Amino acid sequence: DAKTTQPTSMDCAEGRAANLPCNHSTISGNEYVYWYRQIHSQGPQYIIHGLKNNETNEMASLIITEDRKSSTLILPHATLRDTAVYYCIVRVEGGGSNYKLTFGKGTLLTVNP
Amino acid sequence: DGGITQSPKYLFRKEGQNVTLSCEQNLNHDAMYWYRQDPGQGLRLIYYSQIVNDFQKGDIAEGYSVSREKKESFPLTVTSAQKNPTAFYLCASSPTSGRGRDEQFFGPGTRLTVL
């Protein structure tokens, strides 16, 4: 799986958009970008994933650059409950032994009142 | 309610004792996983299983063992051979086909402390 690089920490004001970047310059053509988050002392939670088109769901939007070497997770209106560690992961979609996720250290997002 | 349960939430053991962490899911998922998390670190994969009676080593399997006798259950044994067993252990499951196969569902975790 391709490695990812994320900032160690970020701050965001409550109600504003939180933009979390991720670099994955060695991503392969068949690898997807996944985002999970982990609130303190809980299990991680899936947020969104995509291949090359931008994706949006009820939790967030994922913007992937045209060369796919980087992406941005956007939380449009951050709340205090969005304070968590956000993990960016790249891997192939589904399939055989590729189900496993490789987590780095992620970005600690702190949403401030 | 469907989900993954891990028990207990906190577990204390003496050094040299084996301990088994439970993980149960009623999501009808084929695949199950065990991860370990140390303070300030990301998750590291210990073992995973894609089907009953089959499992594979992850990145840090030494000192651990698993079994997968039932689809719903994937217990993890931390043996005395594991040099630094104190950690937060997370179990996850996912389907292996269909629309949801890319999302892993995590349990609440078990925090193991070896004294």
Side-chain angles (χ1 to χ4, degrees):
Chain A
D1 293 339
K3 291 186 176 178
T4 62
T5 304
Q6 299 177 253
T8 302
S9 63
M10 295 182 65
D11 286 317
C12 177
E14 188 177 18
R16 304 297 293 268
N19 300 298
L20 291 91
C22 180
N23 287 324
H24 32 79
S25 58
T26 60
I27 192 170
S28 300
N30 62 345
E31 288 183 315
Y32 285 66
V33 180
Y34 292 78
W35 284 85
Y36 280 73
R37 73 179 183 184
Q38 185 177 24
I39 295 170
H40 183 61
S41 293
Q42 296 183 22
Q45 176 191 23
Y46 166 85
I47 301 172
I48 199 167
H49 78 285
L51 181 64
K52 53 185 178 181
N53 297 322
N54 297 338
E55 302 286 345
T56 295
N57 63 20
E58 64 278 4
M59 290 183 68
S61 294
L62 174 60
I63 309 298
I64 302 174
T65 58
E66 192 169 344
D67 64 7
R68 302 206 327 118
K69 293 185 176 181
S70 65
S71 61
T72 301
L73 179 74
I74 301 172
L75 307 179
H77 305 287
T79 71
L80 299 179
R81 286 177 291 184
D82 291 322
T83 292
V85 177
Y86 287 77
Y87 296 99
C88 170
I89 301 161
V90 294
R91 54 151 243 202
V92 297
E93 187 181 41
S97 62
N98 295 314
Y99 290 110
K100 64 176 185 174
L101 296 170
T102 301
F103 287 79
K105 295 185 180 181
T107 296
L108 173 59
L109 174 68
T110 303
V111 180
N112 301 304
Chain B
D1 288 339
I4 301 177
T5 57
Q6 291 183 246
S7 61
K9 189 168 179 63
Y10 297 97
L11 188 57
F12 297 89
R13 280 294 182 271
K14 291 183 179 179
E15 191 173 348
Q17 288 182 332
N18 291 354
V19 59
T20 298
L21 283 58
S22 76
C23 177
E24 304 279 333
Q25 55 100 358
N26 61 2
L27 299 166
N28 199 35
H29 287 167
D30 288 311
M32 297 186 74
Y33 316 79
W34 274 105
Y35 294 88
R36 168 185 172 135
Q37 187 172 36
D38 294 286
Q41 303 295 315
L43 281 69
R44 292 184 290 167
L45 183 66
I46 305 173
Y47 268 98
Y48 63 104
S49 168
Q50 296 175 58
I51 197 168
V52 174
N53 293 322
D54 186 48
F55 48 83
Q56 288 81 39
K57 292 182 179 179
D59 300 318
I60 55 164
E62 185 175 352
Y64 299 97
S65 66
V66 294
S67 62
R68 186 86 187 277
E69 298 176 1
K70 298 187 299 182
K71 187 175 185 177
E72 306 80 32
S73 179
F74 191 40
L76 173 75
T77 296
V78 184
T79 74
S80 57
Q82 168 49 234
K83 292 183 176 17
N84 297 297
T86 294
F88 187 44
Y89 290 88
L90 287 155
C91 179
S93 72
S94 70
T96 54
S97 62
R99 183 181 175 84
R101 70 179 189 273
D102 299 290
E103 179 180 349
Q104 288 189 15
F105 295 80
F106 284 81
T110 291
R111 193 167 297 279
L112 172 66
T113 301
V114 176
L115 306 172

